[in-house]
Amino acid sequence: MAKITFIDPAGDQRVVEAETGSTVMEAAIRNDVPGIDAECGGACSCATCHVYVDEQWTEKVGGPEPMEEDMLDFAYDVRPNSRLSCQIKITPELDGLVVATPERQG
C-alpha cells in the first residue's frame, strides 16, 4: 500500500491508501476524492482525471505516453506537471505521492 495525498484547489488535503498495481485514479474513486470524475473509467479516453503531480514527484512518476499527451489536450489548465491519474500506476516507490486537482475537469 502507498499513501497518496490529494490537494484540492482550496488547499485542503486528503490522504488515501492505494494498492500497489492500481492507479491514482482508482484510489481517488475508491476514496471519494472530489475533483476526480473519471468518466471513461480509466481507459485514457477522456481528461476527467487530470491532476498536477507535485514537482518533487515528477521524476519518479515519469512523463505521459503519447496517447495520454493527446488526451491532455482536452484537459483544463494543462501545466508541465499535468498527468491523467488513470495512467499513474501505484508502485512502492510512490508511497507519499502528492497530487493536486484542478479547479475543474476538462
Side-chain angles (χ1 to χ4, degrees):
M1 297 287 261
K3 290 192 180 193
I4 313 276
T5 301
F6 290 87
I7 304 172
D8 71 18
D12 294 329
Q13 297 184 12
R14 181 183 292 209
V15 179
V16 303
E17 289 194 349
E19 294 180 31
T20 300
S22 68
T23 65
V24 171
M25 179 217 72
E26 290 169 333
I29 296 301
R30 281 190 199 111
N31 291 280
D32 296 318
V33 172
I36 302 291
D37 298 335
E39 290 176 2
C40 75
C44 196
S45 61
C46 73
T48 61
C49 68
H50 176 214
V51 295
Y52 304 115
V53 176
D54 185 275
E55 291 181 10
Q56 294 179 341
W57 288 92
T58 54
E59 191 172 311
K60 281 187 181 177
V61 169
E65 296 291 325
M67 186 174 167
E68 181 182 352
E69 285 180 346
D70 290 344
M71 294 289 37
L72 281 168
D73 288 341
F74 299 101
Y76 174 76
D77 192 22
V78 175
R79 301 176 187 172
N81 60 333
S82 287
R83 290 292 309 270
L84 296 181
S85 60
C86 68
Q87 298 302 297
I88 303 172
K89 289 271 191 206
I90 303 299
T91 63
E93 294 77 29
L94 294 185
D95 185 31
L97 175 65
V98 177
V99 298
T101 54
E103 287 183 27
R104 64 181 173 90
Q105 292 292 346

